[in-house]
Amino acid sequence: MSVQERKERERASRERLIVATARELAEQQGWDAVTTRRLAERIEYSQPVLYSHFRGKREIIGAVALEGAAEMAAALRAAASGADGRRARVAALAHAYLEFAERNPAVYDALFQLDGGLAFAQEDTPEPLKDAFAALLETLGEVAGEGVHPTLFTELFWSALHGLATLTRAGRLLPEGAEQRLDLLVERLAVL
């Protein structure tokens, strides 16, 4: 292995460590606790080393979001592929989405609430974000209904899931109605 290859591997390893540490800190204490000073202390590198990888917290949030998008896409596909029938696939997808948001609140915030410097619904949208949407579209597109554009239907269904995730987390919805809300969403929006 050349010196250059070793340096590139070490750089990639440091970058993964920064992202993992930021994510861990955000999940434990919230994104306000994630500062370059704190990250530098936790990973035992200087702040200039952090800035050689990321220009600041915004880029770190973006990196966490991209990692989270890939994880979300995998979780959605796994849930949908393990279900038989269109209704079961849609319900499994919806459950997986809400479970991901509940289990990974800081990642969910990085994806959908915070400014990570990422473009959504644009030509320059990063591939992991496109793939997470594609994971929704693969299942939801087949239940959009006649004459309904699959992408628009997926955006609407996703918006409803995001609303449920956000309002549930904020304590704005009664916990005992969670299953009924999800059943209504699946039954009333999807053409099964």
Side-chain angles (χ1 to χ4, degrees):
M1 170 183 311
S2 73
V3 172
Q4 181 63 29
E5 288 172 329
R6 182 182 52 78
K7 285 183 179 184
E8 287 174 13
R9 243 189 29 237
E10 289 171 355
R11 179 172 176 75
S13 177
R14 266 193 318 272
E15 196 165 294
R16 284 190 304 275
L17 177 62
I18 293 166
V19 171
T21 304
R23 181 176 174 167
E24 178 183 314
L25 187 57
E27 291 291 2
Q28 292 170 352
Q29 300 176 31
W31 278 105
D32 287 342
V34 179
T35 64
T36 54
R37 179 184 304 242
R38 255 182 148 171
L39 285 174
E41 288 171 3
R42 284 218 174 175
I43 65 172
E44 299 178 345
Y45 282 102
S46 68
Q47 283 182 294
V49 169
L50 278 169
Y51 285 115
S52 74
H53 290 275
F54 300 99
R55 287 183 284 195
K57 183 175 176 177
R58 181 178 187 220
E59 285 189 3
I60 294 169
I61 290 169
V64 169
L66 292 176
E67 185 177 273
E71 292 171 11
M72 178 184 274
L76 296 176
R77 285 188 176 106
S81 71
D84 289 329
R86 293 182 344 162
R87 186 197 188 295
R89 281 193 298 279
V90 173
L93 176 99
H95 278 283
Y97 184 96
L98 295 175
E99 287 170 12
F100 182 89
E102 183 181 347
R103 280 193 326 272
N104 305 283
V107 172
Y108 194 82
D109 285 348
L111 272 163
F112 302 120
Q113 307 287 17
L114 302 174
D115 179 9
L118 304 173
F120 283 81
Q122 307 288 324
E123 284 186 29
D124 61 339
T125 298
E127 201 53 46
L129 299 179
K130 289 179 181 178
D131 190 50
F133 184 78
L136 290 166
L137 182 61
E138 290 162 10
T139 296
L140 297 172
E142 66 183 53
V143 297
E146 191 174 323
V148 177
H149 195 284
T151 298
L152 293 177
F153 178 79
T154 300
E155 289 172 342
L156 178 65
F157 201 96
W158 172 34
S159 298
L161 288 173
H162 176 70
L164 287 173
T166 303
L167 292 169
T168 298
R169 184 166 153 204
R172 302 289 196 261
L173 300 174
L174 295 172
E176 57 270 10
E179 279 302 315
Q180 292 87 353
R181 279 189 289 277
L182 203 52
D183 286 344
L184 273 172
L185 177 64
V186 171
E187 290 297 328
R188 299 296 169 104
L189 277 185
V191 176
L192 304 166

